[in-house]
Amino acid sequence: MNIQLQWPAPDLISSAAYCLAEPDPERKVRLTHDAARRWRAGELALRVPPGWRPVDEPGRPEHPKLVAPRELPARGLADLQARTALIHAVAHIELNAINLAWDAVQRFPTMPPAYHADWVQIAEEEAYHFGLMRERLQALGRDYGDFPAHDGLWTMARRTAADPLERMALVPRVLEARGLDVTPGMIERFRAAGDGDTAERLGIILRDEVGHVAAGSRWFRYLCAERGLEPHETYLALMKQHLRGRIQGPLNLADRRRAGFDDTELEVLQGMCGQGKA
């Protein structure tokens, strides 16, 4: 951990970095809730610490082991092992999402206060989501770390570390937006398998993730306006640069609209994944 960091930190940026660097998931969640509470109470100053250097990698627990996506176990609902593997995959995404939210705070410290307020709230909600999934794993006799996982979300964080505009375009508006597309189907599959508890928890996550993607949309457009860039052209150019102009479908059009995608964007995205008009 960066030797400049201490807890409790006197400012938001250092607090965000400390939470990001914490390797223990349980403590990361606890620190996240504490930092969010202190921010709301006005106890954390929004200032860039002297000589500030962002933390470049999140703290990681010893488990789960990180592997290539092709090495992951089957994550269907055919049996309890497969079902818990799928729940574990969601928990891993939510833990990474805590890191992504705190990184959005500490890596781009000169963004406006409203930006930081959004990402503090998102960090706290992601911590709640991780807790929901970890509780479910424990109820089924497993725990976070029992299955291998991959590092795909943080790979994109590294690629967008130099520019908040790229981060807002490609993490919330691509990777997290993909969650809006796949989660409704997961909810129905868990319900059909008789696991209403997991389905209900996924419903909470889906509800909140709409707001997270909407924050990405809002700040992406803010940065485009600040730089005099046309949002549609800029978004499409970044998609082509980083994703070769390909995304997976089908798209959850209703929730993507609620999350700030307009019809022009949705029509282009549907073309990228082979669907018809929005």
Side-chain angles (χ1 to χ4, degrees), residues 75-275:
R75 298 182 301 190
L77 300 180
D79 53 38
L80 182 60
Q81 176 79 359
R83 181 153 51 104
T84 51
L86 180 54
I87 295 169
H88 186 278
V90 177
H92 182 68
I93 289 169
E94 299 305 323
L95 186 66
N96 272 273
I98 303 171
N99 291 333
L100 289 166
W102 283 130
D103 191 57
V105 173
Q106 64 109 34
R107 189 162 298 280
F108 309 114
T110 60
M111 289 288 286
Y115 166 92
H116 291 294
D118 277 346
W119 291 101
V120 171
Q121 178 180 335
I122 290 168
E124 186 170 34
E125 290 176 352
E126 303 292 17
Y128 172 55
H129 297 166
F130 174 75
L132 287 175
M133 290 294 103
R134 188 177 190 187
E135 286 174 359
R136 190 63 188 132
L137 277 174
Q138 292 170 335
L140 295 171
R142 306 304 294 262
D143 201 356
Y144 180 68
D146 286 355
F147 298 88
H150 69 81
D151 197 29
L153 285 174
W154 198 256
T155 298
M156 185 60 80
R158 294 188 190 101
R159 292 170 65 181
T160 58
D163 188 348
L165 186 149
E166 292 193 4
R167 174 66 63 86
M168 294 297 104
L170 296 169
V171 174
R173 300 195 89 232
V174 174
L175 299 185
E176 294 186 73
R178 182 62 185 150
L180 303 183
D181 300 332
V182 302
T183 303
M186 289 175 57
I187 291 170
E188 292 307 313
R189 289 166 63 202
F190 275 104
R191 283 182 180 149
D195 189 346
D197 192 331
T198 300
E200 183 177 350
R201 291 164 190 257
L202 289 171
I204 294 169
I205 291 173
L206 177 61
R207 177 201 68 197
D208 293 344
E209 292 296 341
V210 171
H212 302 177
V213 179
S217 296
R218 183 163 56 252
W219 291 108
F220 170 70
R221 293 197 175 100
Y222 166 89
L223 289 162
C224 284
E226 186 178 62
R227 300 180 192 185
L229 300 174
E230 201 288 314
H232 293 142
E233 293 176 0
T234 303
Y235 186 60
L236 182 59
L238 289 170
M239 293 281 287
K240 289 180 177 178
Q241 176 185 345
H242 290 275
L243 300 168
R244 299 180 182 177
R246 296 196 301 267
I247 63 168
Q248 291 180 286
L251 305 182
N252 177 352
L253 298 177
D255 280 336
R256 278 182 176 259
R257 286 191 177 99
R258 281 190 281 271
F261 287 84
D262 62 32
D263 286 342
T264 300
E265 289 176 313
L266 290 175
E267 185 170 345
V268 171
L269 292 175
Q270 286 189 296
M272 290 181 177
C273 61
Q275 290 181 258

Side-chain angles (χ1 to χ4, degrees), residues 48 194 259 277:
V48 183
K277 292 187 177 182

Side-chain angles (χ1 to χ4, degrees), residues 10-21:
D11 61 82
L12 177 64
I13 305 307
S14 298
S15 297
Y18 196 100
C19 292
L20 175 65

Side-chain angles (χ1 to χ4, degrees), residues 4-62:
Q4 298 176 348
L5 300 179
Q6 59 182 353
W7 193 268
D11 61 82
L12 177 64
I13 305 307
S14 298
S15 297
Y18 196 100
C19 292
L20 175 65
E22 172 56 49
D24 179 73
E26 187 171 344
R27 180 168 162 79
K28 187 187 293 284
V29 167
R30 190 164 64 249
L31 291 172
T32 293
H33 289 302
D34 187 42
R37 177 194 60 77
R38 295 183 66 219
W39 166 254
R40 287 193 299 271
E43 297 173 10
L44 295 178
L46 180 53
R47 62 170 179 258
V48 183
W52 176 246
R53 290 184 299 108
V55 171
D56 283 329
E57 293 291 325
R60 299 186 187 278
E62 184 178 352

